[in-house]
Amino acid sequence: MPAHPSPPPGEKKDRNYDVTFEEERTTKHALVDMSTIQLKAEDLYDKDKVDIEQVELDDVWTLLQCKEEGLTSDEVRRRLDIFGPNKLEHKEVSALLQFLSFMWNPLSWVMEGAALVAIALSNGGGKPPDWQDFVGIVLLLFINSGIGYYEERSAGNAVKALMESLAPKAKCRRDGRWSEIESADLVPGDVVAFKIGDIVPADCRLYDAINVSIDQAGLTGESLPQNKHVGDQCFSSSICKQGEAEGVVISTGANTFFGRAATLVGQDDDSTGHLQKILAQIGLFCLVSIGIFILLEILVLYAAFRYAYRRGLDNILVLLIGGIPIAMPTVLSVTLAVGAQQLAKYKAIVTRITAIEELAGVTILCSDKTGTLTTNKLTIDKTTLKTYSTFSADEVLLLAAYASRTENMDAIDTCIIGSIPSPALAREGITLLDFKPFNPVDKRTEITYIENATGRMKRVSKGMTGIIIELCSRNKTVEVENQLEKDVEEFAARGLRALAIAFEDVPSGNKDEPGNGFELLGLLSIFDPPRDDTKQTIDDAQALGVRVKMVTGDQLAIAKETGRRLGLGDHMYPAKVLKDGGVAESGSKYKNLDDMILDADGFAGVFPEHKYEIVKRLQGLGHLCAMTGDGANDAPALSRANVGIAVEGATDAARGAADIVLTEPGLSTIVHAIRQSRIIFQRMRNYSIYACAVTIRIVVGFAIMAFAFEFDFPPFMVLIIALLNDGTIMTLSVDRVLPSNTPDSWDLGEIFAQAVAYGLYLALGTIAFYLVIVNTTFFSDNFGVENITEANDYGLHMIIYLQVAQISQALIFITRAHGWFFMERPSAALFGAFLVAQLISSIIAAYGDWGFSAVKGISGGYIGITWIWNIIWFFPLDLVKFSMRALIKSWNAKRGKGPGTQIKHPLGEDGEPMSRTTSRHESLYGNRVSFLKKAQGSMGLEKRVSISGADLQRFSSHQTGAAGAALARGTSRH
């Protein structure tokens, strides 16, 4: 192939100085006869008929049947009936149903069944119904439901307060007059106006635009404001950064770009979450254990021992009431709610408290770039500034500031003025004679001024590189042009936007006359810088075993440059590889798309469906994913992720989809949240072991004692044990524990194994205590207490009650500690509650002469003996713990699961991990949402309420502060 000929001497070489990212918009017409398109959503937004976002502007007026004078009031009312208000709607859950839902899970069903047994079936042997047990069980159910309801309702009120704290307005022309109305009252066909600083109230097409620049980063992820011209579309919730415009509304509410993203979020159902699945398996363990021993009791007590109906039923009630960890949903809910309150101290509002548990197990953090990793504020990168004359870098920056507006600044002017030591320097020492602002035709600004120190007239211009170099004449040599082109290409490769500066003297002293020729001074690079704390946050997250991936709608070069600056890596890919499958290129090192997604540092140029797909695939590989973002374009992925995190200043679509809402800039809160979530996880794990162990010790201990000694423990005293245990364990939510340094996961096999070991040991201690009392005279001989020989002596019942109550509560100090129990100090609340419970148990043992419950008060001697017995049996519990850990470690080693192996999270029937957003069959704890839905419909309690119009706006700096303040006030409700 012949080489391309070089240009002849003197012929100008074509150069490419500018890289623009604006799309060329082609005009279109309706695909069908416009007369067949009716004024209704089904026709206007059917892109098989017409794309109202792209058709000729004249066609828009025709389709919407409106004019520049605006709609009439009667027509507005008619269109409100057709299209509805310009807001998003959601269902408000009935407070009554929300309270009742806490009694709608299998563990509660068993307790409710036990209550029915006590009141309806416990009739026999000449005895009345068991009112005492019935009232006690119902009281226990209501206490647990009340606590859970209070915490969950309070969490919802925090964000509701935020939504109601803002009321957006819109300037609209109706009946030929301009007026300010609520944005929620806008309809398609309305004529609206907005200017610099205003929020676009609805999707509209511009018919009049003067130097308009729109920040739509929150919707599309673009870091730079977009210039808008007549005919262009502006999205609802974007911000006008420059100029002023008038437009016609083409879509409102759920039909806007914003609304469609929110609708995609709403398609996901939170019926079954990760924690609910874990609770289901723990609950199943307890239910199966209870069921086995109840079946054995029926066979042994009735068939073998020929127990009377009422006597056998009382023994079964003991297993039902004592074995069911009825407080488990409430204890874990309170633990999570207290954790949410603690996170609020770091300016993070938790809107779905179960997300805290999932955050503890997160292995990958997918982060949006614009506004999340970066500030979403353009900045001059002084380290890359290029100079082409004798002027220094600081002098070039100052001259660029001269050529910038100091009032009503656009994004470029703002970042230049912000790069000099003081904004006042932009006009200090000069007298302004003439200023030409940026416009789409000239694509540059220009200032003519007098330098006060010398009295000389000078002129400075800044603008697009190609325009400025064409303007220059004094130092425009081939060498300078070659260097300039090289520098522009370097900036483009790094995702930096170039801005050129030129200068000339005006010897004539007439501001309207040309000067002595422009000289190219320098080239500025503009970029969206990382937040100050982002690099440290990423380092901290990686130290905690969480890998960070950037997923952004910005350009690949910009993403790579940001990744390099953050130490995140630049191993990133464009979004098109997701469509191509990631392995289309020959010689690709990846076997499939999943491998590539897992290995990549990030992806650029992605749309909402790409972010959603990335998160979904990572979850399919067994990872729990967190997603951060601030825009409506992030909302679907925020909803899909196990933990969605909306950063400060996020759109309401992002806030609504997220589980955690940050109210301060930066991501450092996320590291605090991860650590705090792991603390909370340890508390929940400790309680889970404790609850399962108590179930085993109750059902095994009392069943064996019934089989071996025909011992009939009174059901009411088991209820007292459950109440005291619940009161003590509630304080576990503020216990002092240490977080792990790696992502947490539920090893249910280990939990159940330890629980069985603890439970059998404690049951053995109770049985041994019973044998020593009944079959020996050891206590009466050595301590002078009454000798008890009757198997069902009322005093013996009370002694066994005290022994079981005391050591059961003390077990929590074993399960909460990683080492010896005395090496890890508990919280004052936990230890104080334990002491109070022990005191109450001892008082009941001394004075509880309750004939209805077959118990009587015991002497101080027996109370002291019980204390000593429990202390002696308590200390070896640590040895049981260490022995079980050694056995489990050995077993894991045989299975090839080392200590650093990440345990795969439970999968659903479709093979996907149990994400909170995936609708599947209801299970033990996963049926509350469906219960609410069904009950609302059948009871007529369903109603639709509208969220405040703040749902449709993108916060400006002032509104962001107001939102943060509203959230901070809302935290006091927890």
Side-chain angles (χ1 to χ4, degrees):
M1 179 179 293
H4 292 289
S6 301
E11 183 176 325
K12 186 174 180 179
K13 176 184 176 181
D14 291 334
R15 299 179 184 271
N16 180 23
Y17 293 108
D18 298 310
V19 180
T20 60
F21 310 120
E22 297 179 11
E23 296 182 0
E24 295 183 8
R25 190 175 67 84
T26 58
T27 56
K28 299 179 180 179
H29 295 279
L31 302 178
V32 298
D33 185 355
M34 285 200 298
S35 62
T36 64
I37 301 176
Q38 301 181 30
L39 187 65
K40 59 183 182 180
E42 291 82 357
D43 281 4
L44 288 179
Y45 308 125
D46 183 354
K47 293 196 175 183
D48 290 334
K49 295 181 179 179
V50 59
D51 187 351
I52 199 169
E53 300 172 359
Q54 298 291 332
V55 296
E56 289 278 5
L57 191 56
D58 289 342
D59 291 348
V60 173
W61 296 109
T62 303
L63 289 168
L64 295 175
Q65 302 173 24
C66 58
K67 299 179 180 178
E68 291 186 19
E69 289 73 24
L71 302 173
T72 64
S73 298
D74 292 338
E75 180 64 15
V76 169
R77 284 191 288 271
R78 187 177 78 88
R79 296 193 183 202
L80 275 173
D81 292 335
I82 297 174
F83 298 99
N86 183 30
K87 62 173 66 173
L88 303 180
E89 295 181 336
H90 82 295
K91 292 182 179 179
E92 185 176 77
V93 177
S94 163
L96 174 61
L97 290 176
Q98 188 174 1
F99 174 78
L100 293 177
S101 68
F102 282 92
M103 301 183 189
W104 193 256
N105 60 72
L107 296 185
S108 293
W109 296 339
V110 174
M111 291 298 288
E112 290 154 11
L116 292 176
V117 168
I119 194 65
L121 300 181
S122 293
N123 294 294
K127 295 181 180 180
D130 192 351
W131 288 101
Q132 295 84 8
D133 285 341
F134 172 76
V135 172
I137 293 170
V138 171
L139 179 63
L140 187 62
L141 283 168
F142 271 82
I143 289 174
N144 282 288
S145 297
I147 294 172
Y149 166 80
Y150 173 77
E151 295 293 349
E152 188 167 296
R153 199 73 174 176
S154 297
N157 288 340
V159 173
K160 188 175 180 181
L162 163 73
M163 298 298 186
E164 295 176 350
S165 66
L166 303 170
K169 305 285 185 179
K171 186 178 180 181
C172 178
R173 178 187 282 176
R174 288 178 178 172
D175 298 316
R177 298 187 303 274
W178 287 103
S179 61
E180 189 175 69
I181 65 171
E182 297 285 343
S183 292
D185 295 334
L186 289 175
V187 296
D190 262 327
V191 172
V192 296
F194 52 87
K195 61 184 183 303
I196 183 170
D198 289 346
I199 296 168
V200 180
D203 283 6
C204 59
R205 293 283 298 277
L206 303 183
Y207 67 85
D208 188 12
I210 304 174
N211 295 334
V212 176
S213 178
I214 300 291
D215 176 7
Q216 51 194 36
L219 299 169
T220 64
E222 299 161 303
S223 58
L224 298 173
Q226 303 298 303
N227 294 326
K228 297 291 183 180
H229 312 290
V230 170
D232 286 346
Q233 179 186 12
C234 291
F235 294 129
S236 167
S237 303
S238 56
I239 305 173
C240 181
K241 288 294 188 181
Q242 180 183 355
E244 55 187 52
E246 295 178 10
V248 56
V249 174
I250 61 173
S251 56
T252 58
N255 295 312
T256 62
F257 181 91
F258 183 108
R260 291 195 296 272
T263 301
L264 179 59
V265 172
Q267 290 175 352
D268 286 328
D269 193 349
D270 192 14
S271 292
T272 307
H274 182 257
L275 181 59
Q276 283 78 3
K277 289 284 189 178
I278 297 299
L279 290 177
Q281 296 178 57
I282 295 174
L284 183 62
F285 171 82
C286 296
L287 289 174
V288 169
S289 302
I290 295 167
I292 291 173
F293 282 90
I294 285 179
L295 182 61
L296 289 175
E297 282 203 344
I298 292 173
L299 294 174
V300 174
L301 300 185
Y302 287 118
F305 295 170
R306 304 295 179 182
Y307 268 27
Y309 170 73
R310 180 65 178 266
R311 184 182 179 189
L313 199 61
D314 283 346
N315 278 275
I316 291 173
L317 277 174
V318 168
L319 304 193
L320 280 175
I321 298 171
I324 289 292
I326 181 61
M328 178 177 286
T330 301
V331 170
L332 298 185
S333 177
V334 171
T335 300
L336 292 169
V338 170
Q341 185 177 9
Q342 291 168 342
L343 284 177
K345 297 177 182 177
Y346 297 108
K347 305 301 181 183
I349 303 303
V350 179
T351 62
R352 184 180 65 94
I353 59 175
T354 55
I356 298 175
E357 176 269 340
E358 295 179 34
L359 185 59
V362 161
T363 55
I364 294 179
L365 172 63
C366 295
S367 177
D368 181 50
K369 179 188 71 69
T370 306
T372 305
L373 296 175
T374 63
T375 62
N376 195 21
K377 297 177 181 178
L378 298 181
T379 302
I380 299 296
D381 187 355
K382 298 179 183 179
T383 61
T384 60
L385 191 151
K386 310 292 184 180
T387 59
Y388 305 96
S389 70
T390 57
F391 287 79
S392 68
D394 289 338
E395 289 173 330
V396 171
L397 275 177
L398 183 59
L399 290 174
Y402 287 169
S404 304
R405 301 180 70 167
T406 55
E407 296 179 356
N408 297 328
M409 298 179 288
D410 60 19
I412 302 294
D413 288 345
T414 300
C415 75
I416 291 176
I417 296 296
S419 66
I420 59 178
S422 170
L425 295 176
R427 292 294 180 266
E428 188 176 286
I430 64 172
T431 300
L432 174 64
L433 300 178
D434 183 51
F435 187 89
K436 296 178 181 178
F438 180 90
N439 65 76
V441 178
D442 295 332
K443 297 183 179 180
R444 67 185 181 92
T445 65
E446 182 181 285
I447 183 175
T448 304
Y449 63 93
I450 292 178
E451 190 175 59
N452 294 340
T454 62
R456 297 169 58 187
M457 183 179 293
K458 300 183 178 183
R459 186 174 289 136
V460 179
S461 182
K462 76 175 195 312
M464 297 184 66
T465 312
I467 299 296
I468 295 298
I469 192 63
E470 287 297 323
L471 198 67
C472 295
S473 59
R474 274 200 288 168
N475 66 336
K476 190 177 178 181
T477 64
V478 174
E479 291 76 14
V480 169
E481 288 190 275
N482 288 340
Q483 185 61 45
L484 178 64
E485 186 175 23
K486 180 180 178 182
D487 292 339
V488 168
E489 290 175 353
E490 176 193 341
F491 284 1
R494 298 178 57 183
L496 304 175
R497 187 171 181 175
L499 190 71
I501 311 297
F503 163 85
E504 70 172 355
D505 286 308
V506 186
S508 66
N510 188 336
K511 66 181 180 64
D512 297 321
E513 292 187 4
N516 63 346
F518 277 101
E519 175 185 0
L520 181 65
L521 300 185
L523 191 68
L524 309 182
S525 65
I526 302 175
F527 77 116
D528 181 14
R531 294 182 184 269
D532 293 338
D533 65 342
T534 300
K535 189 177 189 307
Q536 185 62 48
T537 298
I538 292 174
D539 292 342
D540 291 345
Q542 291 173 341
L544 291 171
V546 180
R547 186 176 177 190
V548 181
K549 292 180 181 290
M550 183 192 303
V551 183
T552 178
D554 227 327
Q555 296 179 6
L556 181 61
I558 296 175
K560 286 186 175 183
E561 177 67 13
T562 304
R564 283 190 289 264
R565 291 176 183 248
L566 292 174
L568 193 61
D570 57 2
H571 191 47
M572 301 183 186
Y573 298 94
K576 68 181 183 68
V577 301
L578 298 174
K579 181 179 179 181
D580 297 339
V583 293
E585 301 88 352
S586 60
S588 174
K589 64 179 181 179
Y590 303 114
K591 296 180 180 179
N592 52 50
L593 181 59
D594 287 344
D595 287 348
M596 189 193 69
I597 291 176
L598 190 59
D599 182 63
D601 295 322
F603 293 89
V606 299
F607 290 103
E609 57 269 25
H610 296 138
K611 296 184 178 184
Y612 188 93
E613 180 70 16
I614 290 169
V615 171
K616 183 178 178 181
R617 284 182 176 272
L618 288 171
Q619 289 174 334
L621 294 173
H623 290 275
L624 290 186
C625 292
M627 170 74 184
T628 68
D630 67 339
N633 62 317
D634 300 322
L638 288 173
S639 177
R640 172 71 203 192
N642 299 93
V643 182
I645 304 169
V647 299
E648 185 261 358
T651 63
D652 279 319
R655 290 173 183 263
D659 307 303
I660 298 176
V661 180
L662 308 186
T663 61
E664 278 193 348
L667 295 180
S668 59
T669 301
I670 294 177
V671 174
H672 293 301
I674 291 174
R675 291 196 182 101
Q676 191 64 40
S677 69
R678 293 182 184 179
I679 289 174
I680 296 165
F681 182 92
Q682 292 300 320
R683 292 170 180 163
M684 292 192 296
R685 180 181 178 277
N686 297 341
Y687 171 74
S688 299
I689 297 174
Y690 167 84
C692 294
V694 169
T695 294
I696 295 297
R697 75 100 64 245
I698 292 289
V699 298
V700 174
F702 285 120
I704 290 177
M705 291 173 73
F707 299 157
F709 317 119
E710 297 187 25
F711 179 75
D712 302 327
F713 192 72
F716 187 77
M717 300 312 294
V718 170
L719 195 59
I720 296 298
I721 292 173
L723 283 169
L724 290 176
N725 282 353
D726 288 356
T728 302
I729 294 305
M730 287 294 177
T731 59
L732 195 66
S733 60
V734 292
D735 189 25
R736 181 185 289 106
V737 295
L738 296 175
S740 61
N741 291 323
T742 56
D744 289 312
S745 59
W746 290 94
D747 191 336
L748 294 180
E750 179 181 350
I751 289 174
F752 295 153
Q754 291 193 32
V756 169
Y758 293 139
L760 293 178
Y761 176 83
L762 294 178
L764 179 63
T766 302
I767 294 170
F769 193 40
Y770 173 90
L771 289 173
V772 173
I773 294 173
V774 175
N775 293 348
T776 73
T777 59
F778 177 81
F779 292 136
S780 59
D781 293 343
N782 291 280
F783 300 98
V785 294
E786 176 189 359
N787 188 35
I788 300 175
T789 58
E790 173 60 37
N792 285 299
D793 184 87
Y794 281 14
L796 180 59
H797 286 167
M798 186 65 86
I799 293 170
I800 296 299
Y801 151 77
L802 182 60
Q803 192 274 334
V804 172
Q806 283 184 342
I807 200 164
S808 293
Q809 292 168 12
L811 176 64
I812 192 60
F813 297 111
I814 301 297
T815 63
R816 65 172 296 277
H818 293 280
W820 295 99
F821 78 91
F822 52 80
M823 297 298 291
E824 297 182 26
R825 181 166 57 92
S827 66
L830 177 59
F831 191 68
F834 170 76
L835 293 179
V836 169
Q838 298 306 302
L839 179 61
I840 293 174
S841 295
S842 299
I843 292 173
I844 290 174
Y847 302 104
D849 290 319
W850 300 333
F852 69 87
S853 189
V855 294
K856 69 177 183 179
I858 57 177
S859 66
Y862 264 120
I863 292 176
I865 289 170
T866 305
W867 272 84
I868 295 171
W869 181 271
N870 282 334
I871 291 172
I872 293 172
W873 278 80
F874 174 77
F875 281 97
L877 276 168
D878 267 336
L879 300 178
V880 175
K881 173 172 63 181
F882 299 145
S883 299
M884 288 305 302
R885 284 184 183 169
L887 288 174
I888 293 169
K889 184 177 180 180
S890 175
W891 172 249
N892 286 339
K894 290 180 180 179
R895 292 189 299 161
K897 189 177 76 173
T901 304
Q902 175 65 36
I903 300 172
K904 292 275 283 189
H905 297 282
L907 302 180
E909 289 181 351
D910 53 5
E912 293 185 17
M914 291 179 299
S915 164
R916 69 182 176 90
T917 57
T918 308
S919 303
R920 298 187 176 93
H921 67 280
E922 281 92 9
S923 62
L924 293 175
Y925 286 87
N927 48 18
R928 286 190 49 220
V929 173
S930 58
F931 163 74
L932 292 177
K933 291 178 180 176
K934 294 172 184 175
Q936 277 187 284
S938 61
M939 296 177 64
L941 294 175
E942 181 177 5
K943 62 178 180 177
R944 294 180 68 84
V945 299
S946 297
I947 299 176
S948 140
D951 270 328
L952 295 178
Q953 69 175 302
R954 176 75 167 94
F955 299 118
S956 65
S957 58
H958 171 73
Q959 290 161 325
T960 298
L967 278 172
R969 291 194 300 272
T971 61
S972 63
R973 304 171 186 267
H974 289 277

